[in-house]
Amino acid sequence: KAPEDEDLAGYNIYIDNIKAADLKDKTATTWKMENLTVGQIYVVKITAYDQTGNTSIPAQFSFTFSVERIIAGITVDPSEL
């Protein structure tokens, strides 16, 4: 369970079980991942924490990063460029 709003201090973001960010702005709604590798599977976990350091159960998702380019309305695989 995430901390109640008045106790919420921030969010931790983990990429492949490595802490990637500590968002101390509890109103943050976005965070940008950079330097992704095409074809790589990433596992992302996000936890909320309160003023005393209690953390929530992680929300988790995974995805495979891919890149597509649209040229004149035609989707092109980057490996074909």
Side-chain angles (χ1 to χ4, degrees):
K1 180 180 177 195
E4 299 297 325
D5 286 341
E6 61 272 2
D7 294 330
L8 180 64
Y11 300 94
N12 287 315
I13 301 174
Y14 300 86
I15 309 298
D16 298 331
N17 290 320
I18 298 171
K19 190 173 184 177
D22 180 355
L23 304 179
K24 296 185 186 311
D25 177 1
K26 63 184 181 179
T27 63
T29 58
T30 62
W31 180 73
K32 183 179 179 181
M33 291 179 68
E34 298 181 324
N35 302 317
L36 301 177
T37 301
V38 174
Q40 174 74 35
I41 298 172
Y42 293 93
V43 178
V44 179
K45 294 180 184 177
I46 302 169
T47 59
Y49 62 89
D50 65 16
Q51 303 286 340
T52 57
N54 298 310
T55 60
S56 66
I57 295 171
Q60 178 176 315
F61 63 94
S62 62
F63 67 95
T64 302
F65 181 63
S66 64
V67 176
E68 292 183 350
R69 295 184 184 188
I70 300 177
I71 301 172
I74 301 170
T75 301
V76 179
D77 183 316
S79 64
E80 297 173 356
L81 296 176

